[in-house]
Amino acid sequence: MMIWETARPYLYARKTPGNRIIIGGLDESTGYLRKGIQFILNNREKIIKQLVNLFPELENRIWADYYWGALFFEIHDGLPTAGMYRPS
């Protein structure tokens, strides 16, 4: 089963074998690149808090074994690209 909360920013979660949860989301638009582990750790805590908001019985019973951050890029016109992007 997968849960997809469609609020903005969205949140998704699913249970895996071994009684684990994969959870992600809370994407945000930004015009600049934020670097550093502190940014990733802060988002990790926000995502865990959102999961506990949905399932209060998990409070003080969950932690992150693994976590990561990723970037998604779009160009100004929203069209797909293949190969090198050359702005006009």
Side-chain angles (χ1 to χ4, degrees):
M1 176 179 75
M2 183 169 192
I3 296 170
W4 193 287
E5 181 192 38
T6 59
R8 294 285 184 238
Y10 67 89
L11 186 78
Y12 63 89
R14 70 178 174 89
K15 189 175 172 190
T16 69
N19 212 26
R20 292 177 177 252
I21 299 171
I22 295 175
I23 185 168
L26 302 185
D27 296 357
E28 58 185 85
S29 294
T30 182
Y32 58 94
L33 176 62
R34 285 184 239 169
K35 297 180 182 177
I37 189 69
Q38 194 57 46
F39 179 71
I40 294 171
L41 292 174
N42 186 42
N43 281 352
R44 175 193 68 182
E45 295 307 314
K46 287 179 186 177
I47 287 173
I48 290 173
K49 184 177 179 180
Q50 289 290 344
L51 184 64
V52 169
N53 286 341
L54 292 171
F55 301 98
E57 66 275 11
L58 294 178
E59 189 168 21
N60 300 319
R61 296 181 57 210
I62 61 168
W63 60 90
D65 282 336
Y66 306 98
Y67 48 92
W68 67 94
L71 298 172
F72 298 92
F73 295 93
E74 291 181 359
I75 60 173
H76 67 282
D77 58 15
L79 296 173
T81 59
M84 183 183 291
Y85 174 65
R86 293 186 180 98
S88 46

